[in-house]
Amino acid sequence: MTATARSTDMTDDTPTTFVLVPGAGGEAWFWHLLVPQLRALGHDAVTMDLPAGDERAGLDEYAEVVLAALPPAGGRTVVVGQSMGGLTATLVAARAPVDMLVLLNAMVPRPGETPGEWWTNTGFDQAREAEAARHGDDPGDVMAAFFHDVPDAVRVAAEERGDPEQTATPFALPWPLDAWPNVPTRFLQGRDDRFFPLAFQQAQVADRLGIEVDEMAGGHLVALSRPAELAARLDAYAAELTEALRATGSRS
């Protein structure tokens, strides 16, 4: 199952829209610091809340929400999936014509595997425990792993919002694609991520995608801790699309 390519006349100044898919809890708020940074660089950005608290909603329903938020045809579209959002973003890239898929500190699904099985199949627990020991952290303290490099004011704002609800429903059903979508894919990883450590991500990405991991400074929530740096990295991916356009004269 692959997306159908759109063939349009594009120029170097054709705008890029970044479709930002949040991770567990499904809150568009996660991207609120990144969006103005992208717009300052001349791009547009689309965010959405996913039905993460709905026991009836699985990845297919999450993907439908994202598909409904996609911009109209005519510009470049880059779908970015953060953490668990990588599972949904990949479905979107398979079901709509997009130009690039960017996985950010993300889970990489495998056909037939449930997201619930992903944790054991990838060796997550061992990697997480080893990383926690390296930093002297409690491996059960997920919030410390998430927020260790997030500025205090942003962390307090997140705490005031409360923990977003995330049902187990999306983790119970097999990932529905038969193969990876035929879309250029980049994997961007924070080298300071204490939840999905860099070496762990490099191993799963090599095994499951056969591509290299692009690194940047920052932890698991780089959109909150380093929004300007993240915007610069996404801007560089948009520049790749421009160069490809110049080289081929057509949209991939």
Side-chain angles (χ1 to χ4, degrees), residues 58-59 112-117 167-175:
L59 293 177
E113 176 184 73
T114 70
E117 293 168 338
T167 75
T169 303
F171 294 92
L173 298 174
W175 189 63

Side-chain angles (χ1 to χ4, degrees), residues 42-147:
H43 305 300
D44 200 0
V46 173
T47 63
M48 71 296 297
D49 290 321
L50 301 179
D54 186 346
E55 293 285 354
R56 300 165 298 177
L59 293 177
D60 282 321
E61 287 73 26
Y62 291 16
E64 287 300 319
V65 172
V66 181
L67 288 166
L70 290 179
R76 301 190 188 96
T77 302
V78 176
V79 179
V80 182
Q82 150 75 16
S83 193
M84 179 188 170
L87 307 177
T88 300
T90 310
L91 297 185
V92 173
R95 297 172 181 175
V98 304
D99 296 280
M100 183 179 286
L101 171 64
V102 177
L103 301 177
L104 176 63
N105 292 346
M107 300 170 70
V108 178
R110 176 173 278 165
E113 176 184 73
T114 70
E117 293 168 338
W118 179 93
W119 309 95
T120 298
N121 292 349
T122 58
F124 164 79
D125 286 341
Q126 299 91 322
R128 167 83 179 106
E129 289 172 5
E131 187 71 9
R134 191 165 75 87
H135 295 283
D137 295 339
D138 177 356
D141 190 348
V142 173
M143 298 308 290
F146 282 179
F147 284 93

